[in-house]
């Protein structure tokens, strides 16, 4: 009876250790990816453009993430010659805004009201 309990406890402990190891590996991979992203952006953007991108990330994180991925893609392909200035980043932001722009339309469904004047 005690051997079965001991085996169960050992199995549970081994599972906990493996989960902790997997979580640690995932955190390390995420940190490496973040560090790599930051180093690429530091090479591609000048100081004012990085400041603009970080302030955009505070307000609209999904849009900043899209721009960061776009810049990293351009850097990997080799489309970026030098550092991108603040004005260059503004142009990129405008392009991304045009591509992701949501056009909202409002339609009014007016109901016809029967009035007593029509019957007379």
């Amino acid at each position: 009876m005690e051997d079965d309990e001991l085996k169960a406890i050992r199995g549970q402990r081994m599972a906990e250790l493996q989960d902790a190891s997997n979580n640690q590996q995932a955190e390390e991979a995420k940190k490496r990816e973040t560090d790599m992203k930051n180093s690429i952006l530091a090479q591609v953007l000048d100081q004012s453009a990085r400041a603009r991108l970080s302030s955009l990330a505070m307000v609209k994180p999904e849009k900043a993430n899209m721009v960061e991925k776009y810049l990293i893609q351009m850097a990997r392909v080799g489309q970026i010659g030098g550092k991108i200035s603040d004005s260059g980043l503004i142009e990129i932001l405008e392009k991304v805004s045009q591509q992701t722009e949501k056009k909202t339309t409002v339609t009014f469904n007016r109901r016809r009201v029967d009035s007593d004047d029509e019957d007379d």
Side-chain angles (χ1 to χ4, degrees):
M1 186 71 116
E2 292 181 15
D3 290 335
D4 292 338
E5 290 176 11
L6 187 59
K7 286 181 183 178
I9 292 172
R10 283 184 183 160
Q12 184 180 10
R13 180 70 178 143
M14 287 298 291
E16 289 174 1
L17 289 174
Q18 287 177 351
D19 287 343
S21 174
N22 290 340
N23 288 339
Q24 186 179 12
Q25 289 174 354
E27 288 177 14
E28 289 175 4
K30 189 174 182 180
K31 185 179 180 200
R32 279 194 306 267
E33 182 180 324
T34 304
D35 290 343
M36 185 178 70
K37 178 180 76 168
N38 288 336
S39 68
I40 291 173
L41 290 175
Q43 292 172 2
V44 172
L45 298 174
D46 68 354
Q47 195 66 24
S48 60
R50 284 210 39 124
R52 181 176 295 276
L53 188 60
S54 64
S55 63
L56 177 69
M58 289 181 191
V59 179
K60 295 183 178 181
E62 62 278 347
K63 190 171 191 176
N65 195 15
M66 287 175 46
V67 172
E68 287 173 351
K69 287 181 181 178
Y70 179 72
L71 289 170
I72 291 170
Q73 175 78 22
M74 286 177 59
R76 286 186 178 159
V77 174
Q79 293 179 345
I80 298 175
K83 286 196 171 197
I84 295 176
S85 65
D86 191 38
S87 60
L89 182 64
I90 290 173
E91 291 176 9
I92 292 172
L93 288 170
E94 288 174 353
K95 287 179 187 177
V96 169
S97 292
Q98 288 175 355
Q99 291 173 354
T100 61
E101 185 176 303
K102 295 180 181 176
K103 296 188 178 189
T104 58
T105 57
V106 178
T107 56
F108 292 99
N109 293 328
R110 298 183 186 255
R111 296 185 181 157
R112 298 189 79 136
V113 178
D114 293 332
S115 64
D116 294 334
D117 295 339
E118 292 179 9
D119 292 337
D120 291 337

